[in-house]
Amino acid sequence: MEHKKVIIVGSGPAGLTAAIYTARADLEPMVIEGEPSSTSDQPGGQLMLTTEIENFPGFPEGLMGPELMTNMRAQAERFGASFKTAKVTKVLLDSSPFALYTSDQQDQNEPALTCDALIVATGARSIMLNLESENELIGHGLSTCATCDGFFFRGQDIAVVGGGDSALEEALFLTKFANSVTIIHRRDTLRASKIMQDRAFSNEKIRFEWNKTVTALHSKDSVLTGVTLEDTATYENTMLNVTGLFVAIGHSPNTDVFKGLLEMDDAGYIISHSGTHTSIDGVFACGDVQDHKYRQAITAAGSGCMAAIDVERWLESQH
C-alpha cells in the first residue's frame, strides 16, 4: 500500500492545474489519470476529444485540445507530480488516511493507495446520441459546446438537439455566427423556461423541427454534411443538410464512485463550499464535477488552482 500526501483523481484541466500547484508546494501529488479505453474517465478528460481551442488565454493562434493537455501534464511532471494510469474503483472516506482502490491492482481486497488529502477532478461527460461515427465526428462538425466551437460555424447552417434551457441558450448564442439554426426536439413543446422560449421564437434565424430525433449522421471526408431525422409519430425519415450539430441534451458528472459518500445535488454534481471543500473534511472537488453552469476549460483550471491552495492550507492546519 502506497501513501501520498495528496491524490488527485482526474487529469483534465482541473486535475492537472491542481497537480501543478500542489507539486510546486512540495506536496508530491499523485494523479490517477484514468484509462485510455474509458469514454467517461480517459486521461486528459474531454479536451482530448476537442480539436482546435481558440479561447484559452495565452494562445492567440489557438491550439489543439490534446496538445494543451499534454503540455499541462508535462508541466505537472516537471514540478514532481507522479501519474498512475488507472481508474478508481472504490474509495473509503470514513477515516483518515483515505483509501483508494484502482483498476490495475491485483488484490482487490486491500486498497492500493492511501492519502491525507483527496482532490476529486473527475469532470462530467456530455450525454450523446449514441450514433455510429459519433466519436469520429466530434470536432469535425459535431460539438457539445457552442461557446467553445460556435465561431467555427460562421455563415453556416447548423442545428441544435434538445429542448431545455441549455439547448435554447446554445441556439441563441450560435445565431451570432450561423446563417441559420435549427432546433431539433423530440416533442412538440419545449421544456425550457418561458423567457428562453420567447427569445428563441422571436429570433428570425431559428427554426424548429418538432417531434424529431436524429437517427444518423452523414459526412464526407470525415466532416459532417447532414443528419437523418425520424418523426416520432409517423417514423418517416427526412434529411437535414447541416454542417454543424450541437448536442445539448444534458451532462452527467463522473461521480459514481463517490455516491453515498459525498454530498451531491439532485443531478449528481458534488456540492462544494468555502472554495472547493466538500462535505468530508480533507476531500476537495474542482472542475466540471462540481460545476454544471460554466463548463469551460479555463474555469476548470481556475478551480483546480483553488483546490490546490485549499489543500495546502488544510494540510498546514492539520500539522
Side-chain angles (χ1 to χ4, degrees):
M1 191 185 305
E2 186 177 4
H3 180 77
K4 291 288 184 180
K5 293 178 185 177
V6 179
I7 287 181
I8 301 166
V9 185
S11 58
L16 292 180
T17 302
I20 292 168
Y21 274 77
T22 50
R24 292 189 76 247
D26 291 329
L27 296 178
E28 301 175 341
M30 171 181 279
V31 179
I32 304 178
E33 62 179 348
E35 295 177 324
S37 59
S38 173
T39 56
S40 63
D41 192 21
Q42 61 180 341
Q46 293 295 300
L47 285 189
M48 295 300 290
L49 302 175
T50 304
T51 51
E52 192 169 3
I53 300 173
E54 289 196 330
N55 57 2
F56 200 91
F59 299 93
E61 302 301 322
L63 77 169
M64 303 296 282
E67 181 185 0
L68 177 61
M69 291 295 90
T70 300
N71 290 345
M72 292 179 73
R73 190 185 193 278
Q75 191 173 0
E77 281 186 304
R78 174 193 168 199
F79 293 119
S82 60
F83 287 80
K84 186 178 183 67
T85 305
K87 186 175 182 178
V88 174
T89 57
K90 181 181 176 181
V91 293
L92 301 177
L93 305 178
D94 53 350
S95 62
S96 183
F98 306 125
L100 293 86
Y101 296 72
T102 57
S103 58
D104 64 339
Q105 65 183 91
Q106 294 182 344
D107 183 7
Q108 290 290 331
N109 295 316
E110 295 290 334
L113 299 161
T114 59
C115 62
D116 297 318
L118 179 66
I119 296 177
V120 182
T122 47
R125 61 189 181 277
S126 299
I127 299 174
M128 299 300 289
L129 302 173
N130 294 322
L131 298 175
E132 188 179 354
S133 74
E134 198 171 56
N135 291 335
E136 291 80 358
L137 290 175
I138 283 284
H140 300 278
L142 185 64
S143 175
T144 59
C145 179
T147 309
C148 311
D149 300 331
F151 178 82
F152 300 112
F153 295 88
R154 188 177 295 277
Q156 300 181 37
D157 295 313
I158 60 179
V160 175
V161 182
D165 278 342
S166 295
L168 267 60
E169 185 176 342
E170 299 251 300
L172 288 164
F173 177 82
L174 290 168
T175 59
K176 298 178 181 179
F177 309 101
N179 179 55
S180 69
V181 179
T182 300
I183 295 177
I184 304 167
H185 189 42
R186 59 184 176 178
R187 299 186 178 91
D188 58 1
T189 57
L190 298 169
R191 294 179 290 106
S193 59
K194 187 177 185 304
I195 188 170
M196 293 300 293
Q197 292 191 43
D198 290 343
R199 290 174 182 172
F201 289 141
S202 63
N203 192 304
E204 60 183 15
K205 284 190 175 183
I206 293 179
R207 58 185 297 267
F208 293 85
E209 286 284 355
W210 302 107
N211 298 312
K212 299 291 194 306
T213 59
V214 178
T215 57
L217 306 174
H218 305 281
S219 62
K220 182 178 181 181
D221 298 328
S222 299
V223 177
L224 184 75
T225 57
V227 299
T228 297
L229 301 181
E230 182 180 87
D231 191 292
T232 57
T234 65
Y235 303 106
E236 179 184 356
N237 288 331
T238 56
M239 179 72 176
L240 179 65
N241 295 314
V242 289
T243 52
L245 181 69
F246 289 78
V247 182
I249 55 178
H251 290 78
S252 179
N254 300 318
T255 54
D256 287 350
V257 74
F258 300 101
K259 285 184 176 176
L261 304 175
L262 297 175
E263 184 183 4
M264 301 180 187
D265 64 15
D266 293 340
Y269 288 87
I270 295 174
I271 296 175
S272 57
H273 57 90
S274 301
T276 62
H277 296 258
T278 71
S279 56
I280 292 182
D281 201 30
V283 181
F284 304 80
C286 58
D288 288 6
V289 76
Q290 51 86 53
D291 170 28
H292 55 77
K293 182 177 181 180
Y294 299 105
R295 295 197 296 264
Q296 300 296 306
I298 187 64
T299 53
S303 68
C305 167
M306 292 166 58
I309 294 173
D310 285 343
V311 163
E312 183 180 4
R313 291 175 178 172
W314 182 82
L315 287 172
E316 288 176 353
S317 72
Q318 302 300 307
H319 308 291

